[in-house]
Amino acid sequence: MPRLVLFNKPYGVLPQFTDKSMAASPRPTLSDYIQIDRVYPAGRLDMDSEGLVLLTDDGRLQARISDPRFKMPKRYLVQVEGTVTDVALAALRSGVPLKDGITRPAEADRIADPDLWPRDPPVRFRKTVPDCWISLTIREGRNRQVRRMTAAVGFPTLRLVRWSIGDWSLDGLGQGQMRVIEV
């Protein structure tokens, strides 16, 4: 029976099991949190992003989750600099031109500040610049896509939390925690 691991990756954790950098002090990796043999990440999540990482021991499932051809929805909670406008949300919903082409239309909505764990280090706070949260659901997975999309519409990302992939979500998972399910 294939296993699927749902992991709430903390900020600053490298989304792989080993750190191949030449740095004198190795960075935290998935192996600091997950001691399950023969599971591999299905997709990536940048070191400076937080949230849901799926790992599996089944190659077909891994491909179905990570391959853009399957258009599996990925929902992000995004704290942006500034108060996002209706025009910016409309642009996200229709597709944003980036250097590597126009993105597919996204689902984008302003949301109330979510009840999340504190981030370490905390997001910088500036008295003169407001921030707000949006929910953004995409069905592709370009490199740093969400950050590039919000910047392209004039609202740089301050904090990025992947909340769900397909039907799997962080519901009930604290930072650094995991859940194993059979699929």
Side-chain angles (χ1 to χ4, degrees), residues 12-152:
V13 173
L14 204 58
Q16 55 198 40
F17 282 97
T18 58
D19 182 2
K20 296 180 182 174
S21 75
M22 301 305 260
S25 58
R27 300 169 291 188
T29 65
L30 295 177
S31 62
D32 294 318
Y33 295 88
I34 299 170
Q35 285 77 42
I36 300 173
D37 292 335
R38 297 185 307 274
V39 293
Y40 303 95
R44 306 270 298 172
L45 186 63
D46 296 331
M47 193 167 134
D48 54 352
S49 299
E50 310 163 68
L52 184 62
V53 172
L54 298 177
L55 303 97
T56 184
D57 57 1
D58 181 83
R60 283 191 194 142
L61 179 59
Q62 184 180 30
R64 194 182 87 208
I65 293 168
S66 60
D67 193 317
R69 289 180 298 163
F70 295 103
K71 298 178 181 69
M72 187 165 284
K74 296 170 212 69
R75 180 174 177 237
Y76 296 85
L77 305 181
V78 189
Q79 184 182 21
V80 296
E81 185 174 274
T83 304
V84 73
T85 64
D86 290 338
V87 171
L89 291 171
L92 293 168
R93 291 178 189 135
S94 63
V96 178
L98 302 175
K99 287 182 180 177
D100 55 350
I102 297 177
T103 64
R104 290 186 180 134
E107 296 169 28
D109 294 291
R110 211 175 289 113
I111 60 171
D113 293 1
D115 184 22
L116 297 174
W117 52 89
R119 193 185 89 171
D120 183 26
V123 172
R124 73 177 188 270
F125 173 75
R126 299 189 324 189
K127 289 182 184 179
T128 59
V129 180
D131 62 63
C132 72
W133 285 86
I134 62 173
S135 170
L136 191 64
T137 301
I138 62 173
R139 287 177 170 74
E140 54 188 336
R142 300 180 196 188
N143 186 37
R144 300 181 71 81
Q145 180 175 344
V146 170
R147 291 177 189 280
R148 294 190 299 141
M149 288 174 73
T150 63

Side-chain angles (χ1 to χ4, degrees), residues 5-8 33-36 53 55 172-180:
V5 177
L6 286 68
F7 174 60
N8 187 350
Y33 295 88
I34 299 170
Q35 285 77 42
I36 300 173
V53 172
L55 303 97
L173 277 181
Q175 185 180 37
Q177 293 181 335
M178 69 174 179
R179 178 181 321 123
V180 180

